[in-house]
Amino acid sequence: MSTQTRASRRLVDVGAGTLAVILGITAFDRSARAQAQPEATPASTDADPPITAPASAPADASAARAPAAEAHAGAPTLQSAAGAGPASPALPPPAEELWKKPLSVAAWARVGGRLQNPGAREKMDRLLADGELHLLFSGEINRFIGVQGAIVAQFGPTPTGGNIAGSATLRDAIAKVKFHDLLNVWIGRMIVPSDRSAFSGPWSMGPWNYPGLFEPYAPPLGPRQGPFGRNDGVTAWGTVAGGLFKYYVGAYNLHDSSVSPLYTARLNLSLLDPEPAYYQKSTYLGEKSILALGVAGEVQGEGSVESLPPPEMNMPPGVPRKDAYMEANADLLFEKNLGTAGTITLEGAFYKYVGDFERFDYSYFALASYLAPTSVGVGKLQPLVRLQQAKPKNADPYLLIDAQVGYIIEGHAARAALGYQRSDLSGAKGNAVFLGVQLQK
């Protein structure tokens, strides 16, 4: 038997063993749930988690919401007419008012630093700082119509050594119509439903750095989206069985008549806890048990465009050739809270790119993290490692390895991360140490 054949069989055996362990834990979890009989405990609906947004263009996944009908909570009790006897409870709100939610406003901030020399990436003799502030709002006009918006301001280094302008930019502007759980229609500027990372963004994932950031100051490699993972278009989506199954279909690039529309579709199956909201997280930090598989694809006619020489090369002007662009991806997330043993998270995603003028053939990442069950000071430690690889069509593979320790103070609302990144871009190696702090209110 050849060495290659033996290696392949070992890889298959390792994969089968890992799947068996996951399925075994899943089966045990289902058995434990079947035996448990909680009294009158309503199921969590997770109806509208916070917006998540990748910090880097065009990566990024829902404005923080206020609970429904809170205006009646804590209302003073009514005294009896005679002024004697026990107080009567406050009258419940009318049934037609129960759907109403006040306008929800939130502020999110991420600030980070990086030790790395952009001109000589193996050297860590430059300190670079960046940050962003997001202001978000959402609310409901009535039980069928809602609105969501967000603006963002950034600062940080540019490829020429300058600083990103701090002016605010529109991030979200969405009109929402809900016909049924099976059919919601969103119109405006929104997250492109392409992969789990886009839905969660850096706000709701374990790693500090958004996946696919192989090249400095370049958009992340992955599904085609837009700035902050957003694009202008329309999305139809719905849930089945409370969010155990979800679908998305959409059309984007509708703001620019000079380019072809970008069409996307995604299916998501959650085998343990449901994920009913439009957005999804890449880690729930032990609040849910997750075994979820997602598949998605994108198509754009004439979306694969030839790159022309830059003007400084003084080449004769030309018209770029074009070809159809297609992309397909699949992602898997497994997360399990083991109680006093902590929480483990395993995640992976694979992307395939099709088009004559696409630079890359495929890319993927694999991640493993562990959230400690006990606190150290005011937070819990979360060590994490992630491997990323991308294959250019005419060059050796790109490689990124992140190793970090997260400090989870208040879930995703208050956390910090300290880590090291090693890069190898077809032989061009680099080192970096990064530190980041994230706050959401």
Side-chain angles (χ1 to χ4, degrees):
M1 183 183 298
S2 67
T3 302
Q4 183 177 4
T5 301
R6 288 195 297 269
S8 299
R9 289 190 175 181
R10 290 194 188 112
L11 182 60
V12 172
D13 291 341
V14 170
T18 302
L19 181 59
V21 171
I22 291 176
L23 292 177
I25 295 176
T26 301
F28 176 79
D29 179 75
R30 284 180 170 171
S31 176
R33 294 184 184 199
Q35 295 176 9
Q37 298 292 334
E39 294 183 5
T41 302
S44 173
T45 59
D46 191 21
D48 191 6
I51 295 179
T52 50
S56 304
D60 155 6
S62 60
R65 62 180 280 230
E70 282 188 343
H72 300 280
T77 57
L78 303 177
Q79 299 294 328
S80 63
S88 302
L91 294 175
E96 62 271 15
E97 299 293 322
L98 291 177
W99 60 266
K100 288 189 175 180
K101 301 175 187 176
L103 184 68
S104 174
V105 180
W108 295 4
R110 281 170 61 90
V111 180
R114 189 179 184 92
L115 278 174
Q116 188 175 50
N117 189 327
R121 290 173 53 79
E122 278 199 288
K123 298 181 180 180
M124 295 186 291
D125 57 357
R126 296 289 189 275
L127 178 59
L128 308 174
D130 59 78
E132 57 190 271
L133 174 66
H134 296 241
L135 299 178
L136 316 95
F137 68 88
S138 68
E140 292 187 352
I141 310 304
N142 59 35
R143 70 186 68 200
F144 306 109
I145 303 174
V147 63
Q148 178 180 311
I151 58 175
V152 56
Q154 294 177 286
F155 72 89
T158 66
T160 59
N163 184 50
I164 297 175
S167 59
T169 301
L170 181 67
R171 197 197 75 177
D172 292 312
I174 311 170
K176 306 176 182 180
V177 181
K178 181 174 183 178
F179 298 97
H180 190 273
D181 287 345
L182 288 173
L183 179 59
N184 300 262
V185 177
W186 289 16
I187 305 171
R189 178 169 296 179
M190 71 197 80
I191 283 283
V192 177
S194 52
D195 64 345
R196 181 173 288 271
S197 295
F199 282 118
S200 71
W203 301 99
S204 298
M205 61 174 54
W208 181 255
N209 299 308
Y210 191 79
L213 294 173
F214 288 92
E215 298 175 329
Y217 309 109
L221 183 61
R224 191 160 294 179
Q225 298 164 337
F228 299 98
R230 269 70 177 173
N231 206 317
D232 300 338
V234 56
T235 304
W237 68 282
T239 65
V240 178
L244 293 178
F245 175 78
K246 286 193 293 189
Y247 77 89
Y248 305 83
V249 292
Y252 309 93
N253 285 342
L254 303 187
H255 63 287
D256 189 351
S257 61
S258 66
V259 300
S260 303
L262 174 69
Y263 301 102
T264 73
R266 175 176 170 84
L267 303 176
N268 189 83
L269 178 64
S270 299
L271 298 177
L272 297 178
D273 286 341
E275 298 179 284
Y278 181 88
Y279 303 95
Q280 301 170 159
K281 298 181 180 181
S282 292
T283 174
Y284 290 88
L285 300 175
E287 294 180 359
K288 286 190 176 188
S289 293
I290 297 292
L291 178 56
L293 173 66
V295 293
E298 296 183 328
V299 177
Q300 183 182 9
E302 298 186 340
S304 184
V305 183
E306 180 183 23
S307 297
L308 295 179
E312 55 267 24
M313 294 186 65
N314 295 320
M315 300 290 289
V319 177
R321 294 175 293 172
K322 299 180 180 180
D323 185 40
Y325 161 81
M326 291 183 288
E327 181 271 341
N329 67 75
D331 51 74
L332 177 68
L333 175 65
F334 173 71
E335 182 164 279
K336 180 62 181 174
N337 188 333
L338 302 175
T340 57
T343 299
I344 59 172
T345 303
L346 303 174
E347 185 183 8
F350 181 85
Y351 307 87
K352 174 65 178 177
Y353 312 98
V354 179
D356 287 348
F357 306 109
E358 296 304 299
R359 288 184 56 203
F360 292 87
D361 184 23
Y362 65 85
S363 64
Y364 68 87
F365 74 82
L367 174 152
S369 70
Y370 171 76
L371 179 62
T374 57
S375 296
V376 177
V378 296
K380 297 179 180 180
L381 296 177
Q382 186 188 40
L384 176 151
V385 62
R386 180 178 63 184
L387 169 69
Q388 302 182 72
Q389 190 172 57
K391 178 62 177 69
K393 288 185 176 179
N394 301 308
D396 292 333
Y398 285 8
L399 180 67
L400 284 181
I401 299 176
D402 291 86
Q404 75 171 50
V405 176
Y407 192 54
I408 312 302
I409 302 170
E410 193 67 35
H412 295 292
R415 69 182 182 106
L418 174 64
Y420 167 77
Q421 184 179 78
R422 176 65 174 175
S423 60
D424 184 346
L425 309 184
S426 298
K429 296 179 171 57
N431 299 295
V433 172
F434 57 88
L435 172 66
V437 176
Q438 172 177 304
L439 300 173
Q440 299 175 326
K441 179 61 176 178

